[in-house]
Amino acid sequence: MNELIPRTGNYKNLLSYQKADVIFQITFDFCARFLSKRDRTVDQMVQAARSGKQNIIEGCAASSTSAKTEIKLVNVAKASLKELLEDYEDYLKTRHHRQWEKGSIEYETMRKLGREHNDAAFFMNLTATRPAETIANMAIILINQTDYLLFKQLERLEKDFLEKGGFSERMTALRQAKRGYR
């Protein structure tokens, strides 16, 4: 424990961020292609997707001085993506489209693709020629995978906090060490 403000990791290396970026790009394209610009849902979906991605970035940026803020923002990212998930499910329901069932060939194929690929270019290439129903289902699976990653990230953040403490504890320990306490 020799540094007060540790260097934080690169958020771009987080799988949760990579998936959230894919979701944002898919959602932006989906809304532009398949929803009316006057539809309030467009702004809500794009903002929920953006919030999912941006709160991961902001949480990582705050992590060196506030575990509480990092945990809170990662949880906000998770909540934003849950809101987006509901929007995609509503899209399918209100248009009487099928949501892929667990175990179906489409569902399992997309889950596999979601596990194997994290770059937006790969998925944007796939969605370029797919109908809205397929893209909505793809997004639903990616959102569920990202939700799981964020849940695991929150568990890790909790464990790290319990084992290492937070910024205030590091400040106290460094000050006491400098003064010769212990």
Side-chain angles (χ1 to χ4, degrees):
M1 188 183 295
N2 55 358
E3 62 179 7
L4 178 59
I5 302 175
R7 296 189 200 287
T8 55
N10 182 348
Y11 65 87
K12 289 188 177 185
N13 290 333
L14 291 172
L15 291 178
S16 60
Y17 169 79
Q18 293 168 12
K19 298 262 188 243
D21 184 48
V22 169
I23 292 163
F24 171 72
Q25 291 188 46
I26 287 173
T27 300
F28 190 90
D29 184 61
F30 177 87
C31 290
R33 288 173 52 199
F34 302 110
L35 298 175
S36 168
K37 291 182 187 351
R38 294 177 307 227
D39 187 341
R40 235 183 112 213
T41 307
V42 170
D43 287 340
Q44 299 212 342
M45 288 180 73
V46 170
Q47 287 307 311
R50 184 180 183 281
S51 178
K53 179 174 76 85
Q54 297 302 111
N55 277 291
I56 294 169
I57 296 168
E58 193 174 348
C60 285
S63 67
S64 59
T65 59
S66 179
K68 179 181 177 181
T69 300
E70 181 181 20
I71 290 167
K72 180 180 176 185
L73 290 169
V74 169
N75 197 54
V76 169
K78 193 175 183 318
S80 293
L81 292 175
K82 283 291 197 181
E83 177 185 346
L84 181 62
L85 174 67
E86 188 70 18
D87 285 331
Y88 276 114
E89 289 175 343
D90 286 347
Y91 178 88
L92 293 173
K93 285 186 262 186
T94 59
R95 286 153 180 87
H96 308 288
H97 293 306
R98 177 180 139 251
Q99 184 172 338
W100 296 341
E101 310 83 21
K102 193 173 193 173
S104 70
I105 189 73
E106 303 97 335
Y107 182 94
E108 297 305 328
T109 300
M110 185 58 205
R111 278 189 67 211
K112 184 175 187 284
L113 289 174
R115 281 191 310 269
E116 294 174 352
H117 299 279
N118 299 317
D119 66 295
F122 174 83
F123 288 102
M124 294 308 292
N125 189 43
L126 283 179
T127 61
T129 58
R130 301 304 193 279
E133 175 184 358
T134 300
I135 297 168
N137 274 292
M138 291 170 70
I140 287 169
I141 291 168
L142 290 171
I143 292 167
N144 283 324
Q145 288 177 328
T146 306
D147 182 66
Y148 176 76
L149 291 171
L150 290 170
F151 173 75
K152 297 307 273 179
Q153 190 172 338
L154 286 167
E155 282 187 332
R156 183 189 47 81
L157 291 171
E158 175 188 9
K159 182 177 181 255
D160 288 350
F161 177 75
L162 291 173
E163 289 176 2
K164 300 173 187 171
F167 182 70
S168 296
E169 291 166 309
R170 288 194 307 273
M171 281 179 37
T172 301
L174 286 171
R175 189 171 40 251
Q176 288 176 344
K178 180 136 178 102
R179 292 180 181 165
Y181 298 129
R182 283 204 178 201

